[in-house]
Amino acid sequence: IYFWLTDIYTKEEQKIRSEIHEQGVAKLDFNLYHPLYNELIPANNQRIPFYVEPGDSLVIHVKKDGSVEKYEHKNGNPVKYETLLRHDIANRTFYTHKDFATDKEQRLFPDFATLVQKKMQTILDSVDHVAERYSFSAEERNLARCNVQMQFALWIFEYAPMKVSELLNYANLHEEGWQSLPEQDKEIAAILDAANYRFMAEMHPNDSTYLASKFFPAFIQSYEHTQV
């Protein structure tokens, strides 16, 4: 059983894993400097969502069918976000690298950004529906929404440096004094146009909840390299 842990400062990615022993017990120890909303991946690939904070000792009781029987802390403290964990949808991967590669090749940036933001909103609406159905707390709904926003936003910011790099590489292949084409200038202008990043108005940069998202390290890396 394992999960991937990325250091948000160094961007170093580490596979945290453990064998499941004969007694059916697996123990994973790791250093943590901020809350983490992630998922364990057992051999059968059935995902087990979890939420931990620095200093936590979380125990997850899993049934033979792979479903979670209960979450508990060794110190007896109540488990945060348990309703979200039991009805987890926000941790799923809704937009893959393959989706990104296909959409990036087929669309210029304004259309790409619009498409991804529509997909994001569809999933956010689903999260709100599940939150209402299962009576999520305000904190649970916020964590779920933050996780979805991180997942989609990182690809929007991934597009910009990749496309700019492609245009620069294209220019370097041509003789000195090469002039960019009007459509290429238009694409660069669109990448720099804040109007194509409307989703950022719904994200709150001072909300530390974003740090818990497993998608946050990839998001911040993409954001750091964008020209916006």
Side-chain angles (χ1 to χ4, degrees):
I1 191 166
Y2 70 94
F3 74 96
W4 290 99
L5 179 66
T6 305
D7 189 305
I8 63 173
Y9 303 107
T10 66
K11 310 301 188 295
E12 180 182 356
E13 192 173 49
Q14 182 181 5
K15 187 176 186 179
I16 309 297
R17 63 181 299 277
S18 172
E19 298 294 333
I20 299 178
H21 303 294
E22 291 183 4
Q23 300 89 345
V25 176
K27 183 179 181 181
L28 298 100
D29 295 312
F30 51 95
N31 294 323
L32 192 64
Y33 305 101
H34 56 82
L36 178 64
Y37 175 39
N38 206 319
E39 55 189 0
L40 298 173
I41 308 173
N44 63 6
N45 259 354
Q46 184 164 341
R47 310 302 172 98
I48 302 172
F50 69 90
Y51 173 86
V52 289
E53 296 181 353
D56 280 350
S57 293
L58 180 67
V59 180
I60 307 175
H61 299 265
V62 182
K63 299 177 183 178
K64 288 184 178 180
D65 64 2
S67 62
V68 174
E69 181 178 351
K70 68 175 180 178
Y71 296 89
E72 63 178 348
H73 284 298
K74 281 187 176 181
N75 59 13
N77 288 343
V79 176
K80 291 185 177 181
Y81 304 106
E82 186 166 7
T83 305
L84 168 61
L85 296 175
R86 290 192 174 279
H87 304 285
D88 181 71
I89 67 165
N91 240 332
R92 301 174 190 171
T93 300
F94 296 102
Y95 194 71
T96 65
H97 191 278
K98 183 178 180 180
D99 297 329
F100 168 71
T102 299
D103 291 338
K104 182 176 75 70
E105 290 302 317
Q106 295 178 351
R107 291 172 171 81
L108 294 176
F109 184 70
D111 292 337
F112 170 83
T114 297
L115 173 69
V116 174
Q117 288 176 79
K118 283 182 178 178
K119 289 183 177 182
M120 180 197 299
Q121 189 57 53
T122 298
I123 302 302
L124 288 173
D125 290 343
S126 297
V127 166
D128 287 339
H129 175 75
V130 172
E132 290 291 337
R133 181 178 179 183
Y134 295 106
S135 302
F136 282 14
S137 67
E139 291 79 9
E140 287 173 321
R141 184 194 294 253
N142 186 45
L143 176 57
R145 288 181 62 87
C146 286
N147 208 49
V148 171
Q149 289 173 326
M150 288 287 94
Q151 179 178 174
F152 284 94
L154 76 89
W155 292 116
I156 295 177
F157 285 116
E158 186 76 8
Y159 183 107
M162 289 185 67
K163 181 61 69 172
V164 171
S165 178
E166 288 175 5
L167 294 176
L168 291 176
N169 288 337
Y170 180 85
N172 289 335
L173 290 175
H174 293 72
E175 69 276 1
E176 188 175 347
W178 173 81
Q179 295 290 319
S180 60
L181 301 174
E183 57 267 28
Q184 292 170 329
D185 290 337
K186 186 177 180 180
E187 176 75 336
I188 295 295
I191 289 172
L192 297 176
D193 186 354
N196 290 314
Y197 301 86
R198 293 186 181 91
F199 67 93
M200 290 295 288
E202 298 181 12
M203 298 175 68
H204 307 287
N206 293 326
D207 188 349
S208 60
T209 305
Y210 288 111
L211 284 171
S213 172
K214 69 178 183 181
F215 300 106
F216 181 80
F219 165 81
I220 202 66
Q221 186 170 11
S222 297
Y223 184 68
E224 286 174 347
H225 288 89
T226 188
Q227 289 77 17
V228 178

